[in-house]
Amino acid sequence: MPRGADRRNTAHNIFLKFHRHTAKSMKDLEIEEESEDEDQEFESTPQAEPNSPFEMFHHVMKTGVIYASSRAAKHGFSMLSEDWANMGQGAPETGPLPGAPTRDFHMNIQDAELEYAPTTGDTELRVKVAEYYNHLYRQEKESKYTYENVCIVPGGRAGLTRVMAALGNIQVGYFTPDYTAYQQALGLFMRISPSPVLHRNVHEALLPSEDFAFEAGGRGLGAMLLSNPANPTGQSLEGDELDAYVKIARDLNCCLLMDEFYSHYYYDGENVSPEDGGADDDSNWPKTVSSAKYIDDVNEDPVVIVNGLTKNWRCPGFRVCWLVAPKPIVEMLGSAGSFLDGGAK
C-alpha cells in the first residue's frame, strides 16, 4: 500500500498525468477517465509518447464544475434522478418553487423566428432587458439604457468570450477564488495579460474599495473581471462599496466586467415577493443588487454587466444571456459575435 506522497488522490493523479504532461493519446484519455478503480496508481512523472494520432491538438481540460458533473454522469448521475444532488455545479432548481410566481413556457414560434438572429440579438428582447435595468435600478437617473446598450448572447461563457475578444492589449485583473471559467477565458486571446489580484488582508473575504483602487492603479489594469455575488464564496459588494468600485473604474478608466448572474440570490432584504405579483408591481421585487444602480452615464462609464436567464430566472438550458454596456462597446461585441458564436434570440 503506497504511503505519504506516493498515495495521491484520483484528481491529483489525473492532473499529473494529463495536465502537467502531454497525454499519450485520446484513446488513453477516454479509457482512464472512465476507470472506476479509485485506487488506481499512476506514475508520478509519466513520459509522453510522440505517436499521438492528433498531435496538432493540445489536450483541453474541463473546468472544475464540468469535470465533476461529467464524472458523476458516468456513475449514473442525472438531473432527473432523486438519488443525486449536484453539489459540484451552480445548477439552480428549474422546477416550480413553493410560493413562487407561476411561469408559462408555452410558445408559438413563427417561421420567421427560425431565421438567423442579428449578432447583437433580437431587438424586442434587447428592449425588455434595457427596461428591466431602468425599472429596477435607474428610475431616478437621467441617463437610461436603451436596446443599443444590450447584446444578447447564447450563454454567459459566450458573452465572456466576446468581451475577451473585443479587449485590447491590456492587463485584466481577476480574483482567486472566482468562477472557474475565468482563467480559461482570459487565456484564449494573446492580447490579454491575466493579472490575479491578491487581497492585502488574507482574512478579508472581500477586497475593500481602497485596496481595489491601489491594485488597479498600481498595476495599470485595463479591466477587472469579477462576479458579484462572488462565485463560489457568495460574498457580495453592495451599497457604498459597490458605488466606490464603479467610481474607481470611472476615474482610472478601468473597465469593470461585472458577472451578475447571482444578483437575485439575496436573502436579507425586507421586501416579500407576493405570489403571482405583476412585473410592474415594485412590491413584487425582493432585494437584488447590480452595478447598474451606480453608473452615471450608461454610454460613458466603463462598466459591462453580464447576466441572463441561467441563474436568476432558473432557466440554464435556454442559453439566453446578455451583456449590458456603453453603446460603442456593444457595437464591438456584435462584431466579435460575427466570427465567434453568431446571434441569439
Side-chain angles (χ1 to χ4, degrees), residues 34-286:
E34 292 173 358
S35 172
E36 297 181 4
D37 183 3
E38 298 298 330
D39 293 324
Q40 179 180 359
E41 297 178 24
F42 295 99
E43 298 176 9
S44 59
T45 55
Q47 299 298 315
E49 293 184 2
N51 59 345
S52 173
F54 300 108
E55 293 180 348
M56 69 292 294
F57 287 88
H58 74 96
H59 178 50
V60 180
M61 299 294 293
K62 297 181 177 71
T63 61
V65 294
I66 303 302
Y67 173 78
S69 58
S70 62
R71 290 276 292 182
K74 293 178 180 179
H75 291 272
F77 165 69
S78 166
M79 290 291 187
L80 302 178
S81 174
E82 296 182 357
D83 297 328
W84 287 77
N86 187 356
M87 306 298 289
Q89 185 178 20
E93 173 58 63
T94 57
L97 295 178
T102 56
R103 302 189 294 179
D104 185 1
F105 290 124
H106 292 88
M107 288 181 272
N108 182 18
I109 301 176
Q110 305 296 321
D111 290 344
E113 295 298 320
L114 302 178
E115 297 287 349
Y116 284 112
T119 56
T120 49
D122 180 76
T123 301
E124 186 177 0
L125 178 55
R126 296 168 70 192
V127 169
K128 291 297 183 181
V129 172
E131 290 177 351
Y132 161 81
Y133 283 94
N134 291 335
H135 179 76
L136 275 186
Y137 309 110
R138 306 194 60 78
Q139 290 193 33
E140 307 301 322
K141 297 281 189 179
E142 181 178 348
S143 176
K144 296 286 198 296
Y145 287 117
T146 71
Y147 77 93
E148 293 179 303
N149 297 109
V150 179
C151 181
I152 307 300
V153 291
R157 278 163 286 197
L160 289 172
T161 303
R162 285 203 197 190
V163 172
M164 299 306 155
L167 289 174
N169 295 293
I170 62 170
Q171 288 192 70
V172 180
Y174 67 97
F175 293 125
T176 55
D178 213 321
Y179 180 41
T180 55
Y182 289 168
Q183 289 178 299
Q184 283 87 346
L186 288 168
L188 287 175
F189 300 95
M190 295 181 63
R191 291 189 302 273
I192 297 172
S193 297
S195 182
V197 175
L198 304 179
H199 290 222
R200 297 174 72 180
N201 182 350
V202 296
H203 300 293
E204 288 286 344
L206 293 171
L207 187 72
S209 55
E210 59 268 25
D211 287 357
F212 170 60
F214 175 83
E215 292 282 347
R219 295 168 182 260
L221 295 182
M224 181 71 197
L225 173 62
L226 67 155
S227 57
N228 191 48
N231 177 6
T233 66
Q235 300 298 314
S236 173
L237 286 169
E238 49 190 285
D240 292 341
E241 276 294 277
L242 183 53
D243 188 14
Y245 262 68
V246 174
K247 287 179 179 177
I248 292 165
R250 184 187 305 125
D251 293 341
L252 296 179
N253 198 29
C254 171
C255 187
L256 275 184
L257 308 175
M258 298 294 297
D259 176 346
E260 297 184 351
F261 270 89
Y262 289 94
S263 57
H264 289 192
Y265 285 71
Y266 288 88
Y267 304 97
D268 58 348
E270 297 179 357
N271 293 336
V272 178
S273 175
E275 187 172 358
D276 292 325
D280 296 324
D281 176 4
D282 286 336
S283 67
N284 188 46
W285 293 97

Side-chain angles (χ1 to χ4, degrees), residues 151-163 179 259 261 306-310 315-323 341-345:
C151 181
I152 307 300
V153 291
R157 278 163 286 197
L160 289 172
T161 303
R162 285 203 197 190
V163 172
Y179 180 41
D259 176 346
F261 270 89
V306 190
N307 202 345
L309 299 183
T310 304
C315 298
F318 280 6
R319 311 311 298 154
V320 175
C321 300
W322 51 80
L323 303 164
D341 52 76
K345 293 185 176 181

